């Protein structure tokens, strides 16, 4: 009996060690890839794009330098998705505290994902299920990613891996698909419509906006025109 207990403990220790090794390897992957993604000639793909490849769904993505994207598009995305993008360090602590306070008060929580958090989620993580587990991993990854990457490079990667419709990834493919123009030729209105469609790109079609989407786009269009220092990190 004692020998059996010793064997069980030894087996449990081996399992724990193996789990730790696997966890360390998984943690090392995004850490290493982040450095590999630093050069501008590297064009990362998202986990959703990989899923489309594995399932033979296919996708449309045409990488474009941030220099070849209409500045108003990036400005609109910041004002719609993450107004503090240029000031936080990957995580917006003010927004995060608000979410925690709402949760503790039993209220419906709002989203607090920054552009950096969305970028690391798209690059390294999954969407659903186990969203709460993903968030635990996403937060430190976003802080690390922001510490290594410039804001301009983070925005460039985000704009090139964000989903803008079924099988449509990146701003160049989105601009061509929805409006028949290049990312560099997007108008203020088109940029605003693309920005407000990001939270739900499957249901929100920027080329055929409903009244609600048009109202949101008008708001973001005004905010982008007065964005000033809020977008200064992209200069």
């Amino acid at each position: 009996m004692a020998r059996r207990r010793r064997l069980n403990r030894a087996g449990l220790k081996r399992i724990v060690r193996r789990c730790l090794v696997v966890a360390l390897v998984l943690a090392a992957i995004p850490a290493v890839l982040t450095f590999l993604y630093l050069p501008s000639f590297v064009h990362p793909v998202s986990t959703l794009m990989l899923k489309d490849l594995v399932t033979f769904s296919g996708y449309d993505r045409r990488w474009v330098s941030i220099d070849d994207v209409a500045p108003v598009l990036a400005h609109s995305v910041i004002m719609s998705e993450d107004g503090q993008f240029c000031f936080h360090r990957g995580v917006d602590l003010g927004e995060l505290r608000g979410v925690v306070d709402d949760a503790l008060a039993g209220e419906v929580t709002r989203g607090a994902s920054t552009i950096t958090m969305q970028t690391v989620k798209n690059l390294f993580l999954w969407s659903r299920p186990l969203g709460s587990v993903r968030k635990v991993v996403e937060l430190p990854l976003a802080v690390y990613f922001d510490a290594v990457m410039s804001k301009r490079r983070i925005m460039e990667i985000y704009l090139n891996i964000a989903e803008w419709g079924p099988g449509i990834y990146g701003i160049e493919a989105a601009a061509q698909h929805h409006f028949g123009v290049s990312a560099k030729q997007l108008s203020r209105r088109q940029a605003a419509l693309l920005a407000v469609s990001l939270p739900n790109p499957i249901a929100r079609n920027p080329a055929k906006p409903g009244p609600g989407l048009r109202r949101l786009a008008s708001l973001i269009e005004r905010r982008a025109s007065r964005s000033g220092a809020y977008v200064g990190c992209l200069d």
Side-chain angles (χ1 to χ4, degrees):
M1 182 67 73
R3 184 171 179 273
R4 187 179 300 168
R5 282 199 295 268
R6 284 196 299 273
L7 288 173
N8 287 340
R9 283 197 294 269
L12 182 61
K13 287 179 180 178
R14 281 196 299 271
I15 292 172
V16 170
R17 280 198 297 269
R18 287 172 183 171
C19 289
L20 286 173
V21 170
V22 170
L24 288 172
V25 170
L26 291 175
I29 291 172
V32 172
L33 286 176
T34 296
F35 277 97
L36 292 178
Y37 293 161
L38 278 170
S40 59
F41 60 80
V42 178
H43 302 166
V45 296
S46 69
T47 52
L48 279 177
M49 294 162 72
L50 290 174
K51 177 187 75 68
D52 286 348
L53 282 177
V54 170
T55 57
F56 302 102
S57 301
Y59 63 81
D60 184 7
R61 197 280 289 270
R62 311 167 206 181
W63 185 277
V64 63
S65 165
I66 195 169
D67 293 326
D68 292 321
V69 177
V72 70
L73 182 279
H75 299 173
S76 298
V77 168
I78 288 177
M79 301 313 293
S80 176
E81 294 279 284
D82 181 9
Q84 296 300 310
F85 174 71
C86 286
F87 306 109
H88 62 63
R89 292 293 175 261
V91 176
D92 189 334
L93 295 178
E95 283 293 314
L96 195 60
R97 278 193 292 269
V99 169
V100 172
D101 290 343
D102 288 346
L104 291 175
E107 298 176 7
V108 177
T109 58
R110 60 189 184 277
S113 286
T114 63
I115 286 173
T116 313
M117 290 168 67
Q118 293 177 57
T119 303
V120 298
K121 180 198 75 174
N122 290 343
L123 284 177
F124 307 126
L125 303 173
W126 59 93
S127 294
R128 286 177 174 78
L130 301 178
S132 57
V133 175
R134 188 200 74 217
K135 284 292 183 185
V136 173
V137 181
E138 191 178 295
L139 290 172
L141 262 181
V143 173
Y144 170 75
F145 201 75
D146 188 270
V148 174
M149 292 271 183
S150 69
K151 293 287 188 180
R152 189 173 173 83
R153 177 61 172 163
I154 292 172
M155 178 59 73
E156 181 175 65
I157 293 174
Y158 178 65
L159 292 179
N160 278 286
I161 63 174
E163 186 179 23
W164 260 291
I168 306 297
Y169 296 95
I171 187 56
E172 183 65 23
Q176 295 281 359
H177 176 79
H178 292 297
F179 298 115
V181 299
S182 70
K184 197 166 190 174
Q185 296 172 318
L186 286 166
S187 68
R188 291 190 304 169
R189 185 62 176 177
Q190 290 167 341
L193 285 166
L194 284 164
V196 297
S197 70
L198 275 172
N200 193 349
I202 304 302
R204 296 181 178 183
N205 186 337
K208 299 176 181 178
L213 206 62
R214 288 198 296 269
R215 283 194 297 272
L216 276 175
S218 296
L219 174 63
I220 295 306
E221 193 175 346
R222 290 194 298 273
R223 287 181 178 176
S225 68
R226 302 192 294 265
S227 51
Y230 287 100
V231 299
C233 61
L234 298 184
D235 296 335

